[in-house]
Amino acid sequence: MISPGSGSDTRFSSLDIVRGVAVLGILTMNIVGFAQIPAAYLNPTATGPAGALETLLYLTQFVLFDGKMRGLFSVLFGASMLLVIERAQASGRNPAQVHFARMGWLLAFGLAHLYLIWWGDILTQYALVGMIAYAFRRQQTHKLIVVGIILIALQTITMIGLPVTVAAALAGQPDPATAARTLVELERAFGRPDPGSIATQLAAYRGSYADAVAFRWRVYGDTPLNALMQNGFETLAYMLFGMAALRSGLLTGIWERRRLRQLAILGFGLSLPLYLLLAFYIAARGFDLYAIVLGVITLPVPVRPIMIFGWVALILLALPPGKPFADRLATVGQMAFSNYIATSLICTTIFYGHGLGLFGRLDRLALVPIMLVVWALMLSWSPAWLARYRQGPLEWLWRSLARGRIEPLRKVATATQ
């Protein structure tokens, strides 16, 4: 279904609804990244033993949300990117100029978000990978899918090196001293960091705003390029899958419910048993370093896209356009950029030292009510804002900067007779 609009601004409600769910869903994982040290995002025992309920919540997040909401966000970014390119071309504008201006400014926003607000930024990678994805804009749907599958295979191959490295270090190779240093660094990133490392991170984020910025610059200064090297294949694959989903009609709302049901059954039927096996494996091993790098980071790579599209189908089945809650979610998706940054501002204010200073003080269970409050805020302010304005504030700023002129923001009242 197409939402009201005109010309190049016509929107697909189904795409906005799925994006709205992704914006809310990504916070199910990001809330941990805001509130605790980065290793805790992957490992529930990063700072100490986890209780039964804490472990169950972590495993639920791992099976249903970890990587899936980020991947869903990436799929939708690819679809929206292709939509902008095709509309630019249809309106007589230079599509390359439009696209690379948008990606350039998105990179600037992402770098500011990374260094000034939060270490878990995804916008820089979207901008860099989006520049590469432009080369695939003319590919047919089936070719986009094939290339995406190849990229997922490449990502899987590159990730295998991580558990191999851990296994070698655990065996004392290439020599005991080097292996010990390697294990310390890997534990800091994915396992159970040493007390000194934990104390350093707690002090940085419980301190002043300047302390947090200086720490991020020191630790994450090369993050954009490292992330591109580590996850670029996967992110590009998701963007190509998004382009294919747009061209196939999946994200524009033209698929019949029968096809959506088949996709949902296939997506969850194939991926859910595999994820449950991985969850059992990492829990049985007590969330040790090797289990995390193999079961949480490496093996899910080829399985994750299957569940992502199961999620797409399930969302479209459960939330058809025109239903009140679906339409509210669509406004959240329409303001995805603004909501994403607003979430970072709210959560860092709650957890960092320049705000309430709760960093590292709450467990996963205690974070759930905070997440629900932020969800409620997004579901409230998005429709209220869009009742008066054409776009979210950051969407408007991004568009104005990319076009080199101030775009209209306030809606023009329509005269009635």
Side-chain angles (χ1 to χ4, degrees):
M1 179 181 292
I2 300 176
S3 63
S6 60
S8 62
D9 291 328
T10 300
R11 305 191 65 91
F12 293 102
S13 296
S14 53
L15 194 153
D16 282 332
I17 291 167
V18 178
R19 190 189 289 112
V21 173
V23 173
L24 299 180
I26 203 169
L27 188 58
T28 61
M29 295 305 301
N30 283 358
I31 192 70
V32 180
F34 287 121
Q36 301 179 6
I37 64 172
Y41 183 96
L42 296 168
N43 192 328
T45 64
T47 57
L53 289 178
E54 185 87 355
T55 300
L56 179 61
L57 178 57
Y58 167 84
L59 292 173
T60 302
Q61 289 172 319
F62 167 69
V63 170
L64 294 177
F65 301 106
D66 180 32
K68 292 79 168 176
M69 296 299 108
R70 171 179 56 84
L72 187 57
F73 214 48
S74 304
V75 165
L76 295 163
F77 185 88
S80 298
M81 182 179 64
L82 180 61
L83 201 58
V84 170
I85 291 169
E86 291 182 341
R87 286 173 172 174
Q89 189 166 3
S91 65
R93 290 176 291 153
N94 184 323
Q97 183 177 356
V98 169
H99 176 73
F100 285 98
R102 283 169 51 82
M103 295 302 103
W105 281 109
L106 185 63
L107 179 60
F109 280 116
L111 291 172
H113 182 229
L114 171 63
Y115 297 125
L116 300 180
I117 303 176
W118 184 50
W119 63 267
D121 171 73
I122 193 64
L123 302 179
T124 51
Q125 182 160 135
Y126 281 2
L128 294 171
V129 176
M131 294 178 186
I132 300 170
Y134 182 80
F136 297 89
R137 67 195 184 280
R138 294 194 181 98
Q139 293 294 323
Q140 296 175 314
T141 301
H142 72 280
K143 291 183 178 179
L144 290 169
I145 296 172
V146 169
V147 174
I149 292 172
I150 293 171
L151 289 168
I152 291 294
L154 290 173
Q155 184 71 60
T156 305
I157 292 169
T158 61
M159 296 303 293
I160 289 173
L162 188 55
V164 170
T165 300
V166 172
L170 290 171
Q173 299 174 352
D175 61 78
T178 301
R181 288 193 298 270
T182 299
L183 285 175
V184 168
E185 293 302 316
L186 290 171
E187 288 282 7
R188 288 177 177 177
F190 311 115
R192 301 177 182 119
D194 56 278
S197 175
I198 293 174
T200 298
Q201 295 178 74
L202 292 178
Y205 290 122
R206 289 177 184 173
S208 68
Y209 176 73
D211 292 335
V213 171
F215 183 80
R216 274 195 298 275
W217 180 259
R218 185 170 69 253
V219 176
Y220 301 106
D222 57 356
T223 289
L225 291 179
N226 280 344
L228 184 64
M229 297 293 292
Q230 293 170 6
N231 302 313
F233 288 137
E234 185 179 25
T235 302
L236 180 57
Y238 291 152
M239 289 186 186
L240 299 189
F241 290 150
M243 293 180 180
L246 181 76
R247 288 213 170 124
S248 72
L250 171 60
L251 291 175
T252 58
I254 67 172
W255 276 34
E256 297 175 354
R257 293 184 65 83
R258 175 183 57 83
R259 293 183 69 189
L260 292 174
R261 280 194 295 270
Q262 290 172 345
L263 180 58
I265 292 169
L266 182 66
F268 283 99
L270 292 176
S271 63
L272 191 56
L274 296 173
Y275 263 104
L276 290 172
L277 286 174
L278 289 175
F280 178 81
Y281 166 75
I282 60 178
R285 287 189 60 110
F287 306 101
D288 65 13
L289 178 62
Y290 187 77
I292 294 296
V293 298
L294 181 65
V296 177
I297 298 175
T298 304
L299 293 181
V301 173
V303 184
R304 194 153 43 222
I306 303 172
M307 186 175 285
I308 288 170
F309 278 94
W311 269 112
V312 172
L314 183 62
I315 293 165
L316 292 175
L317 281 169
L319 298 163
K323 301 293 184 180
F325 186 65
D327 290 345
R328 185 172 289 267
L329 278 168
T331 64
V332 175
Q334 194 172 339
M335 288 179 53
F337 185 18
S338 296
N339 281 320
Y340 175 73
I341 299 298
T343 299
S344 294
L345 291 172
I346 292 170
C347 290
T348 53
T349 300
I350 292 172
F351 297 111
Y352 286 6
H354 62 267
L356 300 181
L358 296 178
F359 188 81
R361 303 184 192 277
L362 302 178
D363 62 18
R364 266 183 165 78
L365 288 171
L367 297 178
V368 173
I370 297 175
M371 179 192 73
L372 294 175
V373 168
V374 178
W375 280 7
L377 289 173
M378 285 191 278
L379 287 164
S380 298
W381 72 46
S382 298
W385 178 275
L386 291 175
R388 293 188 174 189
Y389 302 101
R390 298 166 183 253
Q391 295 177 292
L394 287 183
E395 284 80 3
W396 167 80
L397 180 59
W398 183 20
R399 186 173 188 174
S400 296
L401 290 169
R403 292 190 174 187
R405 65 174 186 265
I406 298 177
E407 291 289 310
L409 178 59
R410 186 178 290 274
K411 288 183 176 179
V412 178
T414 303
T416 59
Q417 296 182 349

